[in-house]
Amino acid sequence: MNAQTHGFALQNDLPVYDATQLTSPTGLARIVLGDQVYTLRITRAGKLILTK
């Protein structure tokens, strides 16, 4: 994926992820950090919400 074509500028060589590819068709994904599990959700308005 070329982030430049999506209006983003890569800074400091940070990885770029497409949220729609990270989430299931329902717009949900679980993300684990240490022993904590978070839920990433794409809202109907196209925003991202990360909750514990």
Side-chain angles (χ1 to χ4, degrees):
M1 174 172 100
N2 182 348
Q4 293 290 348
T5 62
H6 295 284
F8 299 101
L10 293 178
Q11 297 179 10
N12 302 324
D13 295 323
L14 294 175
V16 176
Y17 301 98
D18 183 337
T20 59
Q21 291 181 351
L22 292 175
T23 58
S24 68
T26 62
L28 294 170
R30 293 230 162 59
I31 299 174
V32 176
L33 178 62
D35 62 348
Q36 300 291 313
V37 179
Y38 297 84
T39 300
L40 178 68
R41 180 170 64 98
I42 301 175
T43 68
R44 286 185 220 166
K47 311 249 182 189
L48 289 175
I49 297 177
L50 183 65
T51 56
K52 208 170 192 184

